[in-house]
Short mmCIF file of all heavy atoms in Angstrom, two decimals:
data_model
loop_
_atom_site.label_atom_id
_atom_site.label_comp_id
_atom_site.label_asym_id
_atom_site.label_seq_id
_atom_site.Cartn_x
_atom_site.Cartn_y
_atom_site.Cartn_z
N LEU A 346 -19.76 -189.30 -1.33
CA LEU A 346 -20.71 -189.05 -0.22
C LEU A 346 -20.16 -189.57 1.09
O LEU A 346 -20.31 -188.92 2.14
CB LEU A 346 -22.05 -189.72 -0.54
CG LEU A 346 -22.86 -189.09 -1.68
CD1 LEU A 346 -24.12 -189.92 -1.94
CD2 LEU A 346 -23.21 -187.64 -1.36
N LEU A 347 -19.53 -190.73 1.09
CA LEU A 347 -18.96 -191.27 2.31
C LEU A 347 -17.88 -190.35 2.87
O LEU A 347 -17.82 -190.11 4.08
CB LEU A 347 -18.39 -192.67 2.03
CG LEU A 347 -17.77 -193.38 3.23
CD1 LEU A 347 -18.81 -193.62 4.30
CD2 LEU A 347 -17.13 -194.71 2.79
N PHE A 348 -17.06 -189.82 1.96
CA PHE A 348 -16.00 -188.90 2.41
C PHE A 348 -16.60 -187.62 3.00
O PHE A 348 -16.21 -187.17 4.10
CB PHE A 348 -15.09 -188.56 1.22
CG PHE A 348 -14.08 -187.47 1.54
CD1 PHE A 348 -12.96 -187.76 2.29
CD2 PHE A 348 -14.28 -186.17 1.09
CE1 PHE A 348 -12.04 -186.77 2.58
CE2 PHE A 348 -13.37 -185.18 1.38
CZ PHE A 348 -12.24 -185.47 2.13
N LEU A 349 -17.57 -187.04 2.26
CA LEU A 349 -18.16 -185.77 2.73
C LEU A 349 -18.88 -185.96 4.07
O LEU A 349 -18.69 -185.19 5.01
CB LEU A 349 -19.12 -185.23 1.67
CG LEU A 349 -18.48 -184.71 0.38
CD1 LEU A 349 -19.56 -184.28 -0.60
CD2 LEU A 349 -17.55 -183.54 0.69
N PHE A 350 -19.72 -186.99 4.13
CA PHE A 350 -20.48 -187.22 5.35
C PHE A 350 -19.57 -187.51 6.54
O PHE A 350 -19.78 -187.00 7.64
CB PHE A 350 -21.47 -188.37 5.16
CG PHE A 350 -22.74 -187.96 4.44
CD1 PHE A 350 -23.15 -188.62 3.29
CD2 PHE A 350 -23.51 -186.91 4.95
CE1 PHE A 350 -24.31 -188.24 2.64
CE2 PHE A 350 -24.67 -186.53 4.29
CZ PHE A 350 -25.07 -187.18 3.13
N SER A 351 -18.58 -188.31 6.33
CA SER A 351 -17.69 -188.67 7.45
C SER A 351 -16.86 -187.47 7.91
O SER A 351 -16.68 -187.26 9.12
CB SER A 351 -16.77 -189.82 7.02
OG SER A 351 -15.96 -189.43 5.91
N GLU A 352 -16.37 -186.66 6.96
CA GLU A 352 -15.57 -185.50 7.33
C GLU A 352 -16.41 -184.45 8.07
O GLU A 352 -16.00 -183.91 9.11
CB GLU A 352 -14.93 -184.88 6.09
CG GLU A 352 -13.79 -185.68 5.51
CD GLU A 352 -12.62 -185.76 6.48
OE1 GLU A 352 -12.29 -184.77 7.13
OE2 GLU A 352 -12.05 -186.87 6.60
N TYR A 353 -17.59 -184.18 7.49
CA TYR A 353 -18.47 -183.20 8.15
C TYR A 353 -18.90 -183.71 9.53
O TYR A 353 -18.97 -182.95 10.50
CB TYR A 353 -19.70 -182.92 7.28
CG TYR A 353 -19.45 -181.87 6.23
CD1 TYR A 353 -19.61 -182.17 4.88
CD2 TYR A 353 -19.06 -180.57 6.58
CE1 TYR A 353 -19.38 -181.22 3.90
CE2 TYR A 353 -18.84 -179.62 5.61
CZ TYR A 353 -19.00 -179.93 4.27
OH TYR A 353 -18.76 -178.99 3.31
N TYR A 354 -19.21 -184.96 9.62
CA TYR A 354 -19.65 -185.53 10.90
C TYR A 354 -18.55 -185.44 11.95
O TYR A 354 -18.80 -185.06 13.10
CB TYR A 354 -20.07 -186.98 10.69
CG TYR A 354 -20.62 -187.64 11.93
CD1 TYR A 354 -21.94 -187.42 12.33
CD2 TYR A 354 -19.81 -188.45 12.71
CE1 TYR A 354 -22.43 -188.02 13.48
CE2 TYR A 354 -20.29 -189.04 13.88
CZ TYR A 354 -21.60 -188.82 14.24
OH TYR A 354 -22.10 -189.40 15.39
N THR A 355 -17.33 -185.78 11.53
CA THR A 355 -16.21 -185.70 12.48
C THR A 355 -15.98 -184.27 12.94
O THR A 355 -15.74 -184.01 14.12
CB THR A 355 -14.94 -186.25 11.81
OG1 THR A 355 -15.17 -187.58 11.35
CG2 THR A 355 -13.79 -186.25 12.79
N ALA A 356 -16.05 -183.32 11.98
CA ALA A 356 -15.82 -181.92 12.34
C ALA A 356 -16.90 -181.41 13.29
O ALA A 356 -16.60 -180.75 14.30
CB ALA A 356 -15.78 -181.06 11.08
N MET A 357 -18.16 -181.69 13.00
CA MET A 357 -19.24 -181.21 13.86
C MET A 357 -19.19 -181.88 15.23
O MET A 357 -19.43 -181.25 16.26
CB MET A 357 -20.59 -181.50 13.19
CG MET A 357 -20.82 -180.71 11.91
SD MET A 357 -20.83 -178.92 12.19
CE MET A 357 -22.30 -178.77 13.19
N LEU A 358 -18.89 -183.15 15.25
CA LEU A 358 -18.80 -183.85 16.53
C LEU A 358 -17.66 -183.29 17.38
O LEU A 358 -17.78 -183.14 18.60
CB LEU A 358 -18.62 -185.35 16.28
CG LEU A 358 -18.62 -186.23 17.52
CD1 LEU A 358 -19.96 -186.15 18.23
CD2 LEU A 358 -18.29 -187.67 17.16
N THR A 359 -16.55 -182.97 16.71
CA THR A 359 -15.42 -182.40 17.44
C THR A 359 -15.77 -181.04 18.04
O THR A 359 -15.34 -180.70 19.14
CB THR A 359 -14.20 -182.25 16.50
OG1 THR A 359 -13.92 -183.52 15.92
CG2 THR A 359 -13.00 -181.75 17.26
N SER A 360 -16.56 -180.24 17.31
CA SER A 360 -16.89 -178.89 17.79
C SER A 360 -17.80 -178.90 19.00
O SER A 360 -17.89 -177.90 19.71
CB SER A 360 -17.54 -178.09 16.66
OG SER A 360 -18.81 -178.63 16.33
N ILE A 361 -18.50 -179.99 19.24
CA ILE A 361 -19.41 -180.04 20.38
C ILE A 361 -18.96 -181.08 21.40
O ILE A 361 -19.77 -181.64 22.14
CB ILE A 361 -20.85 -180.35 19.93
CG1 ILE A 361 -20.90 -181.68 19.19
CG2 ILE A 361 -21.41 -179.23 19.07
CD1 ILE A 361 -22.34 -182.10 18.86
N LEU A 362 -17.66 -181.33 21.47
CA LEU A 362 -17.16 -182.32 22.42
C LEU A 362 -17.47 -181.93 23.86
O LEU A 362 -17.69 -182.76 24.72
CB LEU A 362 -15.64 -182.49 22.25
CG LEU A 362 -15.19 -183.32 21.05
CD1 LEU A 362 -13.68 -183.37 21.01
CD2 LEU A 362 -15.78 -184.71 21.10
N GLY A 363 -17.46 -180.57 24.13
CA GLY A 363 -17.70 -180.12 25.51
C GLY A 363 -19.15 -180.18 25.92
O GLY A 363 -19.46 -180.01 27.10
N LEU A 364 -20.07 -180.42 24.98
CA LEU A 364 -21.50 -180.41 25.31
C LEU A 364 -21.96 -181.82 25.67
O LEU A 364 -22.77 -182.43 24.97
CB LEU A 364 -22.30 -179.87 24.14
CG LEU A 364 -21.95 -178.45 23.70
CD1 LEU A 364 -22.80 -178.06 22.50
CD2 LEU A 364 -22.18 -177.48 24.84
N SER A 365 -21.39 -182.32 26.75
CA SER A 365 -21.77 -183.68 27.16
C SER A 365 -22.97 -183.66 28.09
O SER A 365 -23.33 -184.70 28.65
CB SER A 365 -20.59 -184.36 27.86
OG SER A 365 -20.18 -183.60 28.97
N GLN A 366 -23.60 -182.49 28.30
CA GLN A 366 -24.78 -182.41 29.14
C GLN A 366 -25.68 -181.27 28.65
O GLN A 366 -25.20 -180.26 28.15
CB GLN A 366 -24.39 -182.18 30.60
CG GLN A 366 -23.39 -181.06 30.83
CD GLN A 366 -22.86 -181.07 32.24
OE1 GLN A 366 -23.18 -181.96 33.02
NE2 GLN A 366 -22.06 -180.09 32.57
N LEU A 367 -26.97 -181.43 28.81
CA LEU A 367 -27.95 -180.45 28.36
C LEU A 367 -28.45 -179.63 29.54
O LEU A 367 -28.69 -180.17 30.62
CB LEU A 367 -29.14 -181.16 27.71
CG LEU A 367 -28.94 -181.68 26.28
CD1 LEU A 367 -30.18 -182.46 25.86
CD2 LEU A 367 -28.70 -180.53 25.33
N PRO A 368 -28.63 -178.28 29.36
CA PRO A 368 -29.19 -177.46 30.45
C PRO A 368 -30.60 -177.91 30.79
O PRO A 368 -31.46 -178.06 29.91
CB PRO A 368 -29.18 -176.04 29.85
CG PRO A 368 -28.19 -176.08 28.73
CD PRO A 368 -28.26 -177.47 28.19
N ALA A 369 -30.86 -178.10 32.08
CA ALA A 369 -32.19 -178.52 32.54
C ALA A 369 -32.84 -177.44 33.40
O ALA A 369 -33.86 -177.70 34.02
CB ALA A 369 -32.07 -179.82 33.34
#
Side-chain angles (χ1 to χ4, degrees):
L346 290 176
L347 181 63
F348 172 77
L349 291 177
F350 279 125
S351 61
E352 287 296 319
Y353 276 120
Y354 183 81
T355 304
M357 294 298 294
L358 184 63
T359 305
S360 67
I361 58 173
L362 283 179
L364 301 178
S365 58
Q366 49 191 4
L367 282 175

